[in-house]
Amino acid sequence: GAGVSQSPSNKVTEKGKDVELRCDPISGHTALYWYRQSLGQGLEFLIYFQGNSAPDKSGLPSDRFSAERTGGSVSTLTIQRTQQEDSAVYLCASSSPPNTQYFGPGTRLTVL
Amino acid sequence: AQRVTQPEKLLSVFKGAPVELKCNYSYSGSPELFWYVQYSRQRLQLLLRHISRESIKGFTADLNKGETSFHLKKPFAQEEDSAMYYCALRALNLILTGGGNKLTFGTGTQLKVEL
């Protein structure tokens, strides 16, 4: 079946602009996660959704970062007023808790 | 808070040689440990989890609570094993208390198997 999909695959933006990253989880998966993969930093947890609510937002690095999930499916991660340090690969994962998390291909964000 | 440490950024071995990728963790509660692998130009995928106690692609990993380690081992490395390997921890206590099952990852080890 279809796996987790993310769009766009690559995004280049200018410092100060807003960006939206999209994640389509595996159908039926109630849990959705966002992670960030930075050079030399490994993968950092950003936010977790169970259904449409986000019980754990502890990994969001600043109030410029926000995320929402609608209909228990698609999620959007929004970064406002992007900075160069936001450049990273943003990964989305979904699961049917407490089972294995399946990862998407990621969105590579470059902030110039 | 939980923490996962992978001390080696790069591990280079010859084909047929044994491989051991190190992973240490710190967490005061009950952890669940995983190894994820990312092959070139592919997405991150689960390799194995300590609860399953199985061997995948010849790899095994044993959770050692005394040493707080979960090292990944393979007796004979193959060229196709070349990839980035991440150790990850899930805090079981948080799951039971509704805190979700986010993964805490190490910084990864790049395994290069040379001919």
Side-chain angles (χ1 to χ4, degrees), chain B residues 25 30-35 46-55 60-65 69-72 87-92:
Chain B
Y25 68 90
S30 297
E32 186 177 7
L33 275 296
F34 304 80
W35 277 99
L46 178 68
L47 181 62
L48 55 78
R49 52 197 296 185
H50 91 268
I51 285 179
S52 302
R53 300 185 67 82
E54 57 191 344
S55 173
T60 59
D62 291 317
L63 179 60
N64 185 323
K65 291 188 176 181
S69 68
F70 188 58
H71 303 327
L72 183 67
C87 183
L89 177 151
R90 183 163 71 183
L92 289 173

Side-chain angles (χ1 to χ4, degrees), chain B:
Chain B
Q2 51 267 36
R3 185 181 177 91
V4 176
T5 302
Q6 294 180 251
E8 302 142 328
K9 286 190 176 181
L10 174 65
L11 182 64
S12 186
V13 301
F14 287 107
K15 179 181 175 180
V19 174
E20 183 178 48
L21 300 170
K22 291 184 167 45
C23 172
N24 287 89
Y25 68 90
S26 64
Y27 179 58
S28 56
S30 297
E32 186 177 7
L33 275 296
F34 304 80
W35 277 99
Y36 277 80
V37 61
Q38 190 167 27
Y39 300 102
S40 180
R41 298 188 180 87
Q42 293 187 27
R43 64 185 65 191
L44 196 64
Q45 58 187 281
L46 178 68
L47 181 62
L48 55 78
R49 52 197 296 185
H50 91 268
I51 285 179
S52 302
R53 300 185 67 82
E54 57 191 344
S55 173
I56 305 292
K57 299 185 179 182
F59 284 98
T60 59
D62 291 317
L63 179 60
N64 185 323
K65 291 188 176 181
E67 296 183 357
T68 59
S69 68
F70 188 58
H71 303 327
L72 183 67
K73 300 177 183 179
K74 184 169 182 177
F76 308 104
Q78 302 299 313
E79 192 180 359
E80 57 266 27
D81 296 329
S82 294
M84 191 73 169
Y85 291 80
Y86 291 95
C87 183
L89 177 151
R90 183 163 71 183
L92 289 173
N93 304 53
L94 290 180
I95 297 173
L96 295 173
T97 56
N101 59 348
K102 71 180 182 185
L103 295 170
T104 299
F105 286 88
T107 50
T109 298
Q110 180 72 47
L111 174 65
K112 184 178 180 182
V113 180
E114 299 182 80
L115 299 176

Side-chain angles (χ1 to χ4, degrees), chain A residues 10-32:
Chain A
N10 278 285
K11 177 70 176 179
V12 180
T13 191
E14 293 179 348
K15 178 180 171 182
K17 296 282 180 70
D18 298 352
V19 295
E20 283 190 355
L21 312 179
R22 177 188 168 106
C23 172
D24 279 274
I26 292 172
S27 178
H29 279 189
T30 57
L32 186 147

Side-chain angles (χ1 to χ4, degrees), chain A residues 26-108:
Chain A
I26 292 172
S27 178
H29 279 189
T30 57
L32 186 147
Y33 307 81
W34 284 98
Y35 294 88
R36 179 168 71 174
Q37 188 174 27
S38 306
L39 197 62
Q41 297 293 321
L43 288 98
E44 306 168 89
F45 166 79
L46 297 177
I47 187 170
Y48 153 66
F49 286 93
Q50 178 58 43
N52 291 335
S53 61
D56 190 349
K57 306 178 184 180
S58 62
L60 294 177
S62 76
D63 58 7
R64 296 186 296 105
F65 287 72
S66 63
E68 64 175 14
R69 189 178 185 196
T70 55
S73 180
V74 171
S75 176
T76 302
L77 177 69
T78 301
I79 309 173
Q80 295 178 309
R81 305 181 302 281
T82 52
Q83 303 294 312
Q84 288 183 332
E85 60 263 29
D86 299 335
S87 296
V89 176
Y90 289 82
L91 294 174
C92 175
S94 71
S95 73
S96 185
N99 296 322
T100 302
Q101 292 183 30
Y102 293 90
F103 283 81
T107 293
R108 181 175 297 279

